[in-house]
Amino acid sequence: MSNATAVQDRPTPPTGPAPKSGLSSRSLPRLAPVGFAAVSIALAVGLGLAAGWHSKVQWGMLAALFFLAISYVATTVVENKRQAKDRLATSIVWVCFLLAVIPLASLLWTTIVRGAERLDGYFLTHSMAGVLGSEASGGVYHALIGTLEQVGIATVLSAPLGLLTAVYLVEYGKGTLAKAVTFFVDVMTGIPSIVAGLFILSIMLIANLEPSGLMGALALTILMIPVVVRSTEEMLKLVPNELREASLALGIPKWRTILKVVLPTAIGGITTGVMLAIARIAGETAPIILLVFGSQLINANPFDGAQSSLPFYIYEQYKIGEAASYDRAWAAALVLIAFVMILNLVARGIARWKAPKTGR
């Protein structure tokens, strides 16, 4: 075959524009969602003012709808429908996240602003002994002492019980007993706090016991145990079986393997779970109202006599209905939030400190 014939047989390249590849197709800038959000907020505010809507909630809902619509339309025009659907799903996630965070942020901001007006050294070091509800004096010291003692007793009782229960379920639990324990732990996880308080109250009435901080701590223990069990159980399951098998292969007994290998490996997660359980029970009010009864005086003995706590103090001051009592309630709420936040920060610090090292 001659060279002329070979040249004629070659396919003629297309003369039109080359098709767009995935790498060369147009795409929106990275900051496009920020622009969409700004335009949506401006449209929502303008439309709300034109319609006579003065509620910021209505403006926010309109802005969310405009944001979703603008994101989808702009992505469809500039890119393609597939990317538009992906961006729409991402935008829905962000909108739902903001709808969940905004009320929490608003509550936290309001508590900080209202509580900081009354929170000072005097408030933290004085009780309500001899102070009328309408007076501006008085403090939260007696309630802070009660919360620390009641939560401390509940932690001392529930942490070992929850830890040992979780170890049994993960390392030894088989058969009917393990299923029964798991079932009752699940049931206890969902019981209301008032039910735990009524259970301890019935024991108090049968045994003719007086209200005290210990009774409230027992109710808090019931609420704390299932949280400790569940968190510890999940942490123990994350420990690789290879570690257990290597220890057992060296002839070490199982109980010593659990004590020296399994628990130290999971200690960071276990501590975090205990701290989160403490934060969960620190704000319980119903059991304290039933079992502790509250007190205006400083009672450092949780085993004898009525005692107060931060949640009960907030409820008590709000019930008085005076301007000064409202200020004290907001300040006590800020103290309680700070207490829970400190516990969460400590839990995260311990988890980071005890986390397994990934370096070589």
Side-chain angles (χ1 to χ4, degrees):
M1 183 181 295
S2 63
N3 292 335
T5 306
V7 171
Q8 292 178 358
D9 292 340
R10 293 178 181 175
T12 304
T15 58
K20 296 181 179 180
S21 63
L23 296 177
S24 61
S25 60
R26 295 184 300 173
S27 61
L28 291 170
R30 293 183 59 183
L31 296 180
V34 178
F36 297 157
V39 173
S40 302
I41 293 173
L43 290 176
V45 173
L47 182 60
L49 292 176
W53 297 343
H54 301 287
S55 174
K56 295 181 180 179
V57 176
Q58 294 175 328
W59 295 358
M61 297 301 293
L62 280 177
L65 294 177
F66 281 135
F67 177 73
L68 295 177
I70 293 174
S71 299
Y72 182 78
V73 173
T75 308
T76 303
V77 173
V78 176
E79 299 180 3
N80 52 61
K81 286 189 176 182
R82 181 178 179 181
Q83 294 295 332
K85 293 179 180 178
D86 179 77
R87 190 178 293 274
L88 177 62
T90 304
S91 301
I92 292 175
V93 171
W94 274 104
V95 169
C96 293
F97 169 75
L98 291 177
L99 290 177
V101 168
I102 288 175
L104 297 177
S106 175
L107 175 62
L108 181 61
W109 176 254
T110 303
T111 305
I112 293 175
V113 172
R114 296 289 300 273
E117 298 177 357
R118 186 67 180 82
L119 184 60
D120 52 19
Y122 176 86
F123 182 76
L124 295 175
T125 56
H126 287 74
S127 68
M128 292 296 295
V131 179
L132 299 178
S134 58
E135 296 181 3
S137 57
V140 76
Y141 180 74
H142 62 300
L144 186 59
I145 292 296
T147 293
L148 292 175
E149 291 181 348
Q150 294 159 25
V151 172
I153 294 174
T155 304
V156 170
L157 294 176
S158 61
L161 290 175
L163 177 60
L164 294 175
T165 303
V167 169
Y168 167 75
L169 292 176
V170 175
E171 303 294 338
Y172 298 97
K174 294 180 180 179
T176 306
L177 180 59
K179 293 180 180 178
V181 172
T182 302
F183 172 77
F184 283 111
V185 168
D186 292 336
V187 171
M188 290 176 62
T189 303
I191 64 172
S193 60
I194 189 66
V195 175
L198 290 173
F199 175 73
I200 301 298
L201 180 62
S202 63
I203 297 177
M204 289 176 56
L205 296 176
I206 294 173
N208 196 21
L209 300 175
E210 295 295 329
S212 64
L214 176 62
M215 298 297 105
L218 293 178
L220 297 180
T221 300
I222 296 175
L223 299 173
M224 187 175 175
I225 286 177
V227 180
V228 176
V229 172
R230 276 286 167 257
S231 59
T232 304
E233 186 179 0
E234 294 301 323
M235 291 300 104
L236 293 179
K237 288 180 180 178
L238 293 177
V239 177
N241 286 327
E242 289 78 3
L243 296 178
R244 298 180 176 89
E245 294 171 355
S247 178
L248 295 174
L250 295 175
I252 300 176
K254 187 170 184 178
W255 68 268
R256 194 171 181 85
T257 299
I258 297 172
L259 189 62
K260 296 294 185 179
V261 177
V262 177
L263 291 180
T265 304
I267 190 62
I270 294 173
T271 306
T272 302
V274 173
M275 291 291 184
L276 295 178
I278 294 174
R280 182 248 188 271
I281 66 172
E284 293 293 343
T285 309
I288 306 303
I289 295 176
L290 287 175
L291 307 172
V292 181
F293 277 25
S295 175
Q296 304 293 330
L297 305 176
I298 299 174
N299 180 13
N301 185 6
F303 304 101
D304 183 23
Q307 208 177 30
S308 186
S309 69
L310 287 174
F312 184 85
Y313 180 87
I314 297 170
Y315 164 77
E316 186 180 45
Q317 295 300 315
Y318 178 79
K319 188 174 62 174
I320 293 175
E322 298 288 342
S325 66
Y326 286 153
D327 292 338
R328 287 192 292 265
W330 281 109
L334 182 58
V335 173
L336 182 59
I337 290 177
F339 176 72
V340 175
M341 187 174 297
I342 290 172
L343 287 178
N344 280 274
L345 292 177
V346 170
R348 290 181 178 274
I350 293 175
R352 184 183 295 272
W353 174 42
K354 292 295 184 179
K357 303 299 184 293
T358 56
R360 293 182 179 178

